[in-house]
Amino acid sequence: MRLTFATPAVLAIFAAPVAWADLTAEEVWKDWQSNFTSFGYTYSANEERSGNQLTLTNLIVSSTSPENDGSAQIALDRIVLTEQSDGSVSVSLPAVSPLVMTSDTETGGLATVKMNVAQDGLRITATGTPANLQYAYTANRMAITSTEIEMDGQILPADTNNFEARLDELSGTSNILLDTMRRNAQSLEAAEFEYNFSIGEPDSSEQVDLTGGAANLQFNGTSASPLEVVQAENMSSMLDAGFAVDGMFTFQDGKSQITAVGEDERFAGSFTSTSGDLKVTMGESGLTYAISQNALNAQIAADGIPVPVEFSVGEAGVDLKMPLRKSETAQDFGLGLRLDGFAMSDILWGLFDPAAQLPRDPATVIAEIAGKGRLLFDFLDPEAASLSGNPDITPAEVESVDINRVQISVAGADLTGNGAFRFDNSAGGAPRPVGGVDLMLVGGNALLDKLVAIGIVPQEQATGVRMMMGLLAVPGAAPDTLNSRIEINDQGHISANGQRIQ
Protein backbone atom coordinates (compact mmCIF):
# COMPACT_ATOMS: atom_id res chain seq x y z
CA MET A 1 0.00 0.00 0.00
CA ARG A 2 1.28 3.46 -0.88
CA LEU A 3 1.14 6.11 1.81
CA THR A 4 -0.87 8.46 -0.38
CA PHE A 5 -3.80 10.65 0.50
CA ALA A 6 -6.28 11.69 -2.10
CA THR A 7 -4.36 14.66 -3.38
CA PRO A 8 -7.43 16.11 -5.08
CA ALA A 9 -9.16 16.18 -1.68
CA VAL A 10 -6.38 18.26 -0.17
CA LEU A 11 -6.24 20.54 -3.20
CA ALA A 12 -9.98 20.97 -3.26
CA ILE A 13 -9.81 22.40 0.24
CA PHE A 14 -6.41 24.02 0.50
CA ALA A 15 -5.17 24.73 -3.01
CA ALA A 16 -8.24 24.47 -5.22
CA PRO A 17 -8.38 27.48 -4.51
CA VAL A 18 -12.69 35.74 -12.25
CA ALA A 19 -16.82 37.39 -11.77
CA TRP A 20 -20.16 36.51 -13.15
CA ALA A 21 -23.58 36.04 -11.54
CA ASP A 22 -23.67 35.83 -7.75
CA LEU A 23 -22.20 32.61 -6.44
CA THR A 24 -23.60 31.12 -3.24
CA ALA A 25 -21.67 29.48 -0.43
CA GLU A 26 -23.78 26.34 -0.82
CA GLU A 27 -22.74 26.07 -4.48
CA VAL A 28 -19.07 26.15 -3.49
CA TRP A 29 -19.66 23.55 -0.78
CA LYS A 30 -21.57 21.37 -3.23
CA ASP A 31 -18.62 21.53 -5.64
CA TRP A 32 -16.34 20.18 -2.90
CA GLN A 33 -18.82 17.43 -2.06
CA SER A 34 -19.06 16.38 -5.68
CA ASN A 35 -15.27 16.27 -5.94
CA PHE A 36 -14.95 14.13 -2.80
CA THR A 37 -17.52 11.56 -3.86
CA SER A 38 -16.27 11.33 -7.46
CA PHE A 39 -12.95 10.06 -6.11
CA GLY A 40 -14.59 7.60 -3.75
CA TYR A 41 -13.84 9.56 -0.57
CA THR A 42 -16.17 9.63 2.37
CA TYR A 43 -16.84 12.83 4.29
CA SER A 44 -18.91 14.29 7.08
CA ALA A 45 -19.49 17.83 8.33
CA ASN A 46 -21.88 20.02 10.29
CA GLU A 47 -23.44 22.90 8.34
CA GLU A 48 -24.81 26.15 9.73
CA ARG A 49 -26.10 29.11 7.73
CA SER A 50 -26.11 32.57 9.30
CA GLY A 51 -26.68 35.66 7.18
CA ASN A 52 -24.27 35.62 4.26
CA GLN A 53 -22.08 32.91 5.81
CA LEU A 54 -22.09 29.13 5.64
CA THR A 55 -20.01 27.57 8.41
CA LEU A 56 -18.75 24.00 8.20
CA THR A 57 -17.51 22.42 11.41
CA ASN A 58 -15.75 19.11 12.00
CA LEU A 59 -15.24 18.37 8.34
CA ILE A 60 -13.57 14.96 7.98
CA VAL A 61 -12.55 13.55 4.60
CA SER A 62 -11.35 9.93 4.42
CA SER A 63 -10.10 7.51 1.82
CA THR A 64 -9.36 3.79 1.87
CA SER A 65 -7.20 1.86 -0.57
CA PRO A 66 -8.91 -0.63 -2.90
CA GLU A 67 -7.01 -3.46 -1.16
CA ASN A 68 -8.07 -2.17 2.29
CA ASP A 69 -4.43 -2.10 3.36
CA GLY A 70 -4.25 1.62 4.04
CA SER A 71 -6.24 4.76 4.69
CA ALA A 72 -5.93 8.52 5.03
CA GLN A 73 -7.98 11.12 6.83
CA ILE A 74 -7.84 14.91 7.06
CA ALA A 75 -9.86 16.89 9.58
CA LEU A 76 -10.75 20.60 9.49
CA ASP A 77 -12.46 21.98 12.57
CA ARG A 78 -13.98 25.12 11.06
CA ILE A 79 -14.44 26.49 7.52
CA VAL A 80 -16.33 29.71 6.80
CA LEU A 81 -17.71 30.44 3.32
CA THR A 82 -18.74 34.10 3.07
CA GLU A 83 -20.79 35.56 0.21
CA GLN A 84 -19.33 38.91 -0.88
CA SER A 85 -21.15 41.91 -2.32
CA ASP A 86 -19.40 41.47 -5.68
CA GLY A 87 -20.91 37.99 -6.14
CA SER A 88 -17.82 36.05 -5.07
CA VAL A 89 -17.40 33.72 -2.09
CA SER A 90 -14.42 33.98 0.23
CA VAL A 91 -13.14 30.85 1.96
CA SER A 92 -11.58 30.88 5.42
CA LEU A 93 -9.73 27.72 6.48
CA PRO A 94 -8.15 26.65 9.78
CA ALA A 95 -4.55 27.64 10.40
CA VAL A 96 -3.69 24.00 11.18
CA SER A 97 -5.49 20.80 10.18
CA PRO A 98 -4.41 17.26 11.16
CA LEU A 99 -3.81 14.59 8.52
CA VAL A 100 -3.37 10.90 9.41
CA MET A 101 -2.20 8.19 7.00
CA THR A 102 -1.93 4.46 7.67
CA SER A 103 -0.71 1.48 5.67
CA ASP A 104 0.25 -2.13 6.18
CA THR A 105 3.96 -2.85 6.60
CA GLU A 106 6.00 -5.68 5.09
CA THR A 107 6.13 -7.35 8.51
CA GLY A 108 2.34 -7.53 8.71
CA GLY A 109 2.05 -4.62 11.13
CA LEU A 110 0.78 -1.10 10.66
CA ALA A 111 2.51 2.17 9.83
CA THR A 112 0.84 5.38 11.00
CA VAL A 113 2.01 8.86 10.04
CA LYS A 114 0.45 11.87 11.71
CA MET A 115 1.06 15.33 10.33
CA ASN A 116 -0.26 18.87 10.28
CA VAL A 117 -1.28 20.80 7.17
CA ALA A 118 -0.76 24.46 8.03
CA GLN A 119 -1.31 27.78 6.31
CA ASP A 120 -0.39 31.37 7.08
CA GLY A 121 -2.32 34.21 5.47
CA LEU A 122 -4.24 32.00 3.06
CA ARG A 123 -6.91 33.90 1.11
CA ILE A 124 -9.21 31.99 -1.25
CA THR A 125 -11.87 33.56 -3.45
CA ALA A 126 -14.37 31.63 -5.57
CA THR A 127 -16.22 33.15 -8.52
CA GLY A 128 -18.20 31.97 -11.53
CA THR A 129 -21.04 29.49 -11.72
CA PRO A 130 -21.46 25.93 -10.42
CA ALA A 131 -20.60 24.55 -13.86
CA ASN A 132 -17.62 26.90 -14.34
CA LEU A 133 -15.95 27.78 -11.07
CA GLN A 134 -12.79 29.82 -10.63
CA TYR A 135 -10.70 29.78 -7.46
CA ALA A 136 -7.91 32.28 -6.82
CA TYR A 137 -5.66 32.04 -3.79
CA THR A 138 -2.62 33.58 -2.15
CA ALA A 139 -0.74 32.68 1.04
CA ASN A 140 2.34 33.71 2.95
CA ARG A 141 3.13 30.05 3.59
CA MET A 142 1.68 26.57 3.30
CA ALA A 143 3.37 23.61 4.93
CA ILE A 144 2.95 19.98 5.84
CA THR A 145 4.85 18.73 8.89
CA SER A 146 5.01 15.36 10.58
CA THR A 147 3.99 15.21 14.22
CA GLU A 148 4.32 11.47 14.93
CA ILE A 149 5.48 8.39 13.05
CA GLU A 150 4.57 4.96 14.39
CA MET A 151 5.86 1.72 12.91
CA ASP A 152 4.58 -1.70 14.02
CA GLY A 153 3.35 -0.32 17.32
CA GLN A 154 6.55 1.61 18.09
CA ILE A 155 6.60 5.41 18.04
CA LEU A 156 9.81 6.46 16.34
CA PRO A 157 11.93 9.20 17.97
CA ALA A 158 10.77 12.53 16.57
CA ASP A 159 14.24 14.06 16.47
CA THR A 160 15.50 11.40 14.04
CA ASN A 161 12.26 10.60 12.18
CA ASN A 162 10.44 13.60 10.76
CA PHE A 163 9.67 15.53 7.61
CA GLU A 164 8.49 18.95 6.51
CA ALA A 165 7.72 20.57 3.16
CA ARG A 166 6.64 24.17 2.69
CA LEU A 167 5.90 26.81 0.07
CA ASP A 168 6.46 30.51 0.76
CA GLU A 169 4.80 33.52 -0.89
CA LEU A 170 2.55 31.51 -3.14
CA SER A 171 -0.36 32.32 -5.40
CA GLY A 172 -2.41 30.40 -7.88
CA THR A 173 -5.65 29.75 -9.68
CA SER A 174 -7.85 26.76 -10.35
CA ASN A 175 -10.49 26.93 -13.08
CA ILE A 176 -13.00 24.07 -12.96
CA LEU A 177 -15.31 23.27 -15.85
CA LEU A 178 -18.01 20.60 -15.53
CA ASP A 179 -19.25 18.88 -18.67
CA THR A 180 -18.92 15.13 -19.21
CA MET A 181 -15.81 15.33 -16.96
CA ARG A 182 -14.47 17.56 -14.23
CA ARG A 183 -11.81 19.60 -16.03
CA ASN A 184 -9.35 21.62 -14.01
CA ALA A 185 -6.79 24.11 -15.34
CA GLN A 186 -4.36 25.11 -12.59
CA SER A 187 -1.44 27.44 -12.08
CA LEU A 188 0.82 27.98 -9.09
CA GLU A 189 3.74 30.23 -8.26
CA ALA A 190 5.86 30.15 -5.10
CA ALA A 191 8.90 32.23 -4.25
CA GLU A 192 10.49 29.41 -2.24
CA PHE A 193 10.05 25.67 -1.85
CA GLU A 194 11.92 23.85 0.91
CA TYR A 195 11.82 20.35 2.37
CA ASN A 196 13.63 18.20 4.90
CA PHE A 197 13.32 14.51 5.64
CA SER A 198 14.96 12.37 8.33
CA ILE A 199 14.66 8.68 9.06
CA GLY A 200 16.63 6.64 11.53
CA GLU A 201 16.64 3.16 12.97
CA PRO A 202 15.64 3.04 16.67
CA ASP A 203 18.49 2.00 18.95
CA SER A 204 20.93 2.30 16.06
CA SER A 205 23.36 4.83 14.65
CA GLU A 206 21.92 4.40 11.15
CA GLN A 207 20.43 7.68 9.96
CA VAL A 208 19.50 9.38 6.68
CA ASP A 209 18.90 13.15 6.45
CA LEU A 210 17.76 14.88 3.26
CA THR A 211 17.19 18.60 2.80
CA GLY A 212 16.65 20.75 -0.26
CA GLY A 213 14.56 23.26 -2.07
CA ALA A 214 14.25 25.63 -4.99
CA ALA A 215 13.27 29.19 -5.83
CA ASN A 216 10.65 30.57 -8.22
CA LEU A 217 8.67 27.35 -8.38
CA GLN A 218 5.95 27.43 -11.03
CA PHE A 219 3.33 24.93 -12.08
CA ASN A 220 0.88 24.92 -14.96
CA GLY A 221 -1.31 21.99 -15.83
CA THR A 222 -4.66 20.53 -16.67
CA SER A 223 -6.56 17.48 -15.48
CA ALA A 224 -9.76 15.65 -16.32
CA SER A 225 -11.43 13.41 -13.77
CA PRO A 226 -14.67 11.43 -13.98
CA LEU A 227 -17.89 12.71 -12.45
CA GLU A 228 -18.91 9.24 -11.31
CA VAL A 229 -17.56 7.57 -8.17
CA VAL A 230 -14.05 6.18 -8.71
CA GLN A 231 -11.40 5.34 -6.11
CA ALA A 232 -8.44 7.59 -6.78
CA GLU A 233 -5.92 5.03 -5.51
CA ASN A 234 -7.00 2.54 -8.21
CA MET A 235 -5.34 4.30 -11.13
CA SER A 236 -6.33 1.64 -13.64
CA SER A 237 -10.01 2.27 -12.88
CA MET A 238 -9.39 6.00 -13.05
CA LEU A 239 -7.95 5.68 -16.55
CA ASP A 240 -10.92 3.53 -17.57
CA ALA A 241 -13.17 6.41 -16.52
CA GLY A 242 -11.22 8.99 -18.56
CA PHE A 243 -8.77 10.38 -15.98
CA ALA A 244 -5.93 12.40 -17.53
CA VAL A 245 -3.30 14.87 -16.32
CA ASP A 246 -0.82 17.13 -18.10
CA GLY A 247 1.42 19.38 -16.06
CA MET A 248 4.84 20.99 -15.84
CA PHE A 249 6.89 22.26 -12.91
CA THR A 250 9.77 24.69 -13.44
CA PHE A 251 12.20 25.98 -10.83
CA GLN A 252 15.41 27.91 -10.31
CA ASP A 253 18.33 27.59 -7.88
CA GLY A 254 17.68 23.96 -7.01
CA LYS A 255 19.61 22.52 -4.09
CA SER A 256 19.72 19.31 -2.08
CA GLN A 257 21.92 17.73 0.55
CA ILE A 258 21.95 14.16 1.77
CA THR A 259 23.78 12.58 4.66
CA ALA A 260 23.65 8.86 5.37
CA VAL A 261 25.32 7.27 8.36
CA GLY A 262 25.60 3.50 8.72
CA GLU A 263 27.15 1.28 11.34
CA ASP A 264 30.61 1.58 9.78
CA GLU A 265 30.34 4.13 7.00
CA ARG A 266 29.21 7.62 6.15
CA PHE A 267 28.04 9.23 2.92
CA ALA A 268 27.45 12.91 2.18
CA GLY A 269 26.36 14.61 -1.01
CA SER A 270 25.54 18.16 -2.05
CA PHE A 271 23.86 19.07 -5.34
CA THR A 272 22.90 22.40 -6.93
CA SER A 273 21.47 23.48 -10.28
CA THR A 274 20.59 26.83 -11.79
CA SER A 275 17.22 25.70 -13.18
CA GLY A 276 15.17 22.70 -14.15
CA ASP A 277 11.78 21.36 -15.10
CA LEU A 278 9.58 18.32 -14.68
CA LYS A 279 6.79 17.43 -17.10
CA VAL A 280 4.31 14.58 -16.62
CA THR A 281 1.33 13.52 -18.71
CA MET A 282 -0.85 10.51 -18.03
CA GLY A 283 -3.98 9.25 -19.68
CA GLU A 284 -5.49 6.52 -21.78
CA SER A 285 -2.66 6.82 -24.32
CA GLY A 286 0.04 6.24 -21.72
CA LEU A 287 2.59 8.01 -19.54
CA THR A 288 5.24 10.54 -20.49
CA TYR A 289 7.81 11.79 -17.99
CA ALA A 290 10.57 14.28 -18.66
CA ILE A 291 12.96 15.84 -16.16
CA SER A 292 15.96 18.06 -16.77
CA GLN A 293 18.39 20.21 -14.82
CA ASN A 294 20.82 22.86 -16.00
CA ALA A 295 24.29 23.67 -14.65
CA LEU A 296 24.23 20.79 -12.21
CA ASN A 297 27.08 20.68 -9.68
CA ALA A 298 27.74 17.78 -7.30
CA GLN A 299 30.08 17.18 -4.40
CA ILE A 300 30.18 13.71 -2.85
CA ALA A 301 32.25 12.28 -0.03
CA ALA A 302 32.07 8.79 1.42
CA ASP A 303 34.11 6.41 3.48
CA GLY A 304 36.19 4.28 1.16
CA ILE A 305 36.57 7.03 -1.44
CA PRO A 306 40.05 8.54 -1.09
CA VAL A 307 39.19 11.98 -2.50
CA PRO A 308 36.04 14.08 -2.75
CA VAL A 309 34.01 13.41 -5.89
CA GLU A 310 33.23 16.67 -7.65
CA PHE A 311 31.63 17.00 -11.08
CA SER A 312 29.39 19.28 -13.09
CA VAL A 313 26.95 18.77 -15.96
CA GLY A 314 25.80 21.46 -18.35
CA GLU A 315 22.46 19.72 -18.91
CA ALA A 316 21.16 16.45 -17.51
CA GLY A 317 17.82 14.96 -18.44
CA VAL A 318 15.73 11.82 -18.73
CA ASP A 319 12.69 11.34 -20.98
CA LEU A 320 10.32 8.39 -20.75
CA LYS A 321 7.24 7.47 -22.75
CA MET A 322 5.35 4.21 -22.21
CA PRO A 323 1.89 2.71 -22.62
CA LEU A 324 -0.09 1.82 -19.50
CA ARG A 325 -2.97 -0.25 -20.84
CA LYS A 326 -3.34 -3.67 -22.39
CA SER A 327 -3.88 -3.17 -26.11
CA GLU A 328 -4.41 -5.17 -29.28
CA THR A 329 -2.62 -2.51 -31.33
CA ALA A 330 0.91 -1.16 -30.97
CA GLN A 331 1.49 1.99 -28.93
CA ASP A 332 4.39 4.42 -28.80
CA PHE A 333 7.20 4.14 -26.28
CA GLY A 334 10.49 5.95 -25.92
CA LEU A 335 13.50 6.59 -23.72
CA GLY A 336 15.91 9.49 -23.76
CA LEU A 337 19.06 10.25 -21.78
CA ARG A 338 21.09 13.46 -21.90
CA LEU A 339 24.34 14.10 -20.07
CA ASP A 340 25.75 17.08 -21.91
CA GLY A 341 28.89 18.84 -20.74
CA PHE A 342 30.00 16.42 -18.02
CA ALA A 343 33.21 17.62 -16.36
CA MET A 344 35.20 16.18 -13.45
CA SER A 345 37.48 17.99 -11.05
CA ASP A 346 41.24 17.88 -11.63
CA ILE A 347 41.56 15.87 -8.42
CA LEU A 348 39.54 13.03 -9.94
CA TRP A 349 41.41 13.24 -13.24
CA GLY A 350 44.67 13.05 -11.33
CA LEU A 351 43.81 9.64 -9.88
CA PHE A 352 44.33 7.93 -13.25
CA ASP A 353 45.90 10.61 -15.48
CA PRO A 354 48.26 12.70 -13.32
CA ALA A 355 50.29 13.86 -16.35
CA ALA A 356 47.14 15.15 -18.10
CA GLN A 357 47.74 13.14 -21.27
CA LEU A 358 44.01 12.71 -21.89
CA PRO A 359 41.97 15.65 -23.20
CA ARG A 360 39.81 16.94 -20.36
CA ASP A 361 37.08 18.42 -22.50
CA PRO A 362 33.58 18.03 -21.06
CA ALA A 363 32.02 14.68 -22.02
CA THR A 364 28.63 14.09 -23.60
CA VAL A 365 26.37 11.03 -23.45
CA ILE A 366 23.09 11.21 -25.40
CA ALA A 367 20.68 8.42 -26.31
CA GLU A 368 17.27 8.83 -27.95
CA ILE A 369 15.24 5.68 -28.58
CA ALA A 370 11.63 5.40 -29.77
CA GLY A 371 9.48 2.48 -30.79
CA LYS A 372 6.16 0.74 -30.90
CA GLY A 373 4.92 -2.13 -28.80
CA ARG A 374 1.94 -3.37 -26.88
CA LEU A 375 1.41 -4.34 -23.25
CA LEU A 376 -0.21 -7.68 -22.60
CA PHE A 377 -1.55 -6.54 -19.22
CA ASP A 378 -2.71 -3.31 -17.57
CA PHE A 379 0.44 -1.85 -16.03
CA LEU A 380 -1.41 -0.05 -13.23
CA ASP A 381 -3.82 -2.87 -12.35
CA PRO A 382 -2.40 -4.36 -9.09
CA GLU A 383 -3.70 -7.84 -9.86
CA ALA A 384 -2.51 -7.92 -13.46
CA ALA A 385 0.80 -6.22 -12.68
CA SER A 386 1.65 -9.00 -10.19
CA LEU A 387 1.80 -11.40 -13.15
CA SER A 388 4.61 -9.42 -14.78
CA GLY A 389 7.19 -11.16 -12.59
CA ASN A 390 6.13 -14.61 -13.78
CA PRO A 391 8.81 -15.93 -16.18
CA ASP A 392 6.18 -17.96 -18.04
CA ILE A 393 4.18 -14.86 -18.94
CA THR A 394 5.25 -12.38 -21.62
CA PRO A 395 4.37 -8.89 -20.34
CA ALA A 396 4.83 -7.04 -23.62
CA GLU A 397 5.60 -7.36 -27.32
CA VAL A 398 7.98 -4.95 -29.06
CA GLU A 399 7.24 -4.34 -32.73
CA SER A 400 9.90 -1.76 -33.60
CA VAL A 401 12.78 0.21 -32.12
CA ASP A 402 14.21 3.35 -33.72
CA ILE A 403 17.60 4.49 -32.47
CA ASN A 404 17.22 8.13 -33.37
CA ARG A 405 20.49 9.29 -31.86
CA VAL A 406 23.44 7.91 -29.94
CA GLN A 407 26.42 10.07 -29.04
CA ILE A 408 29.29 9.39 -26.66
CA SER A 409 32.02 12.04 -26.63
CA VAL A 410 34.81 11.61 -24.10
CA ALA A 411 38.54 12.35 -23.88
CA GLY A 412 38.78 13.48 -27.50
CA ALA A 413 36.87 10.56 -29.07
CA ASP A 414 33.36 10.82 -30.49
CA LEU A 415 31.01 7.90 -31.24
CA THR A 416 27.73 8.66 -33.02
CA GLY A 417 25.07 6.42 -34.46
CA ASN A 418 21.48 5.77 -35.44
CA GLY A 419 19.43 2.87 -36.72
CA ALA A 420 16.16 1.00 -36.73
CA PHE A 421 14.97 -2.54 -36.04
CA ARG A 422 11.68 -4.35 -36.54
CA PHE A 423 10.78 -7.43 -34.51
CA ASP A 424 8.98 -10.60 -35.58
CA ASN A 425 6.94 -11.97 -32.67
CA SER A 426 5.08 -14.62 -34.69
CA ALA A 427 7.46 -17.56 -34.19
CA GLY A 428 7.16 -17.68 -30.39
CA GLY A 429 10.06 -17.37 -27.99
CA ALA A 430 12.37 -14.40 -28.26
CA PRO A 431 11.37 -11.83 -30.90
CA ARG A 432 13.55 -11.83 -34.04
CA PRO A 433 15.05 -8.44 -34.95
CA VAL A 434 15.52 -7.25 -38.52
CA GLY A 435 17.28 -3.98 -39.31
CA GLY A 436 20.54 -2.18 -38.87
CA VAL A 437 22.54 0.52 -37.16
CA ASP A 438 25.09 2.99 -38.57
CA LEU A 439 28.02 4.00 -36.37
CA MET A 440 30.90 6.44 -36.75
CA LEU A 441 33.90 6.69 -34.43
CA VAL A 442 36.21 9.70 -34.62
CA GLY A 443 39.44 9.79 -32.62
CA GLY A 444 39.16 6.23 -31.35
CA ASN A 445 42.72 5.15 -32.19
CA ALA A 446 44.21 8.30 -30.67
CA LEU A 447 42.28 7.69 -27.45
CA LEU A 448 43.39 4.06 -27.37
CA ASP A 449 47.04 5.14 -27.76
CA LYS A 450 46.70 7.51 -24.82
CA LEU A 451 45.04 4.85 -22.65
CA VAL A 452 47.96 2.52 -23.37
CA ALA A 453 50.46 5.30 -22.59
CA ILE A 454 49.03 6.00 -19.13
CA GLY A 455 48.73 2.30 -18.32
CA ILE A 456 44.96 1.93 -18.18
CA VAL A 457 44.82 -0.47 -21.16
CA PRO A 458 47.59 -3.08 -21.64
CA GLN A 459 49.19 -3.18 -25.10
CA GLU A 460 47.95 -6.69 -25.87
CA GLN A 461 44.34 -5.70 -25.10
CA ALA A 462 44.69 -2.63 -27.30
CA THR A 463 45.85 -4.88 -30.14
CA GLY A 464 42.74 -7.04 -29.68
CA VAL A 465 40.53 -3.97 -29.74
CA ARG A 466 42.09 -2.75 -32.98
CA MET A 467 41.57 -6.14 -34.57
CA MET A 468 37.91 -6.04 -33.56
CA MET A 469 37.50 -2.54 -34.98
CA GLY A 470 39.09 -3.71 -38.20
CA LEU A 471 36.56 -6.54 -38.42
CA LEU A 472 33.49 -4.40 -37.70
CA ALA A 473 34.41 -1.05 -39.26
CA VAL A 474 35.98 0.52 -42.35
CA PRO A 475 38.11 3.68 -42.49
CA GLY A 476 36.26 6.93 -43.15
CA ALA A 477 37.29 9.82 -45.34
CA ALA A 478 38.73 11.88 -42.46
CA PRO A 479 41.80 10.82 -40.44
CA ASP A 480 41.19 8.48 -37.48
CA THR A 481 37.59 7.91 -38.52
CA LEU A 482 35.83 4.53 -38.63
CA ASN A 483 32.41 3.81 -40.10
CA SER A 484 30.33 0.71 -39.49
CA ARG A 485 27.00 -0.60 -40.74
CA ILE A 486 25.76 -3.54 -38.64
CA GLU A 487 22.72 -5.37 -40.06
CA ILE A 488 20.53 -8.31 -39.10
CA ASN A 489 18.44 -9.87 -41.88
CA ASP A 490 15.19 -11.83 -41.67
CA GLN A 491 17.14 -15.09 -41.44
CA GLY A 492 19.02 -13.93 -38.36
CA HIS A 493 22.34 -13.40 -40.18
CA ILE A 494 24.53 -10.58 -38.85
CA SER A 495 26.75 -8.61 -41.21
CA ALA A 496 29.16 -5.73 -40.82
CA ASN A 497 29.59 -3.43 -43.81
CA GLY A 498 28.13 -6.09 -46.10
CA GLN A 499 30.31 -8.93 -44.77
CA ARG A 500 28.59 -11.69 -42.83
CA ILE A 501 30.09 -12.23 -39.38
CA GLN A 502 27.47 -14.61 -38.00
Side-chain angles (χ1 to χ4, degrees), residues 326-357:
K326 179 178 179 180
S327 175
E328 296 299 323
T329 58
Q331 296 176 291
D332 293 332
F333 69 86
L335 178 64
L337 171 67
R338 298 184 309 283
L339 199 65
D340 193 4
F342 176 86
M344 297 188 302
S345 66
D346 288 338
I347 295 177
L348 287 178
W349 277 107
L351 292 178
F352 55 88
D353 184 26
Q357 298 186 60

Side-chain angles (χ1 to χ4, degrees), residues 8 17 35 91 103 157 160 173 203 263 284 306 320 356 360 408 482:
N35 195 28
V91 182
S103 72
T160 55
T173 61
D203 305 319
E263 293 292 344
E284 182 69 21
L320 172 67
R360 298 187 178 184
I408 301 176
L482 295 172

Side-chain angles (χ1 to χ4, degrees), residues 6 9 12 97 121 128 156 164 190 194 228 231 238 262 272 310 316 350 363 371 439 460:
S97 299
L156 303 182
E164 179 184 21
E194 293 188 351
E228 64 271 17
Q231 283 191 305
M238 291 283 289
T272 63
E310 298 182 8
L439 301 170
E460 59 272 16

Side-chain angles (χ1 to χ4, degrees), residues 477-501:
D480 198 3
T481 299
L482 295 172
N483 296 321
S484 181
R485 168 71 179 176
I486 307 297
E487 294 179 285
I488 305 175
N489 64 19
D490 55 4
Q491 297 179 344
H493 300 157
I494 302 176
S495 63
N497 306 300
Q499 300 295 316
R500 181 176 171 182
I501 59 177

Side-chain angles (χ1 to χ4, degrees), residues 66 73 107 151 180 227 236 245 255 268 332 337 354 373 451 501:
Q73 182 181 92
T107 60
M151 190 72 65
T180 58
L227 299 178
S236 183
V245 295
K255 58 183 179 181
D332 293 332
L337 171 67
L451 294 176
I501 59 177

Side-chain angles (χ1 to χ4, degrees), residues 15-49:
V18 248
W20 299 345
D22 289 357
L23 184 68
T24 69
E26 281 80 6
E27 288 171 336
V28 174
W29 170 226
K30 185 177 179 180
D31 176 66
W32 296 4
Q33 293 172 290
S34 175
N35 195 28
F36 297 154
T37 56
S38 68
F39 282 97
Y41 310 149
T42 60
Y43 67 93
S44 62
N46 300 318
E47 305 176 31
E48 181 180 351
R49 163 67 87 159

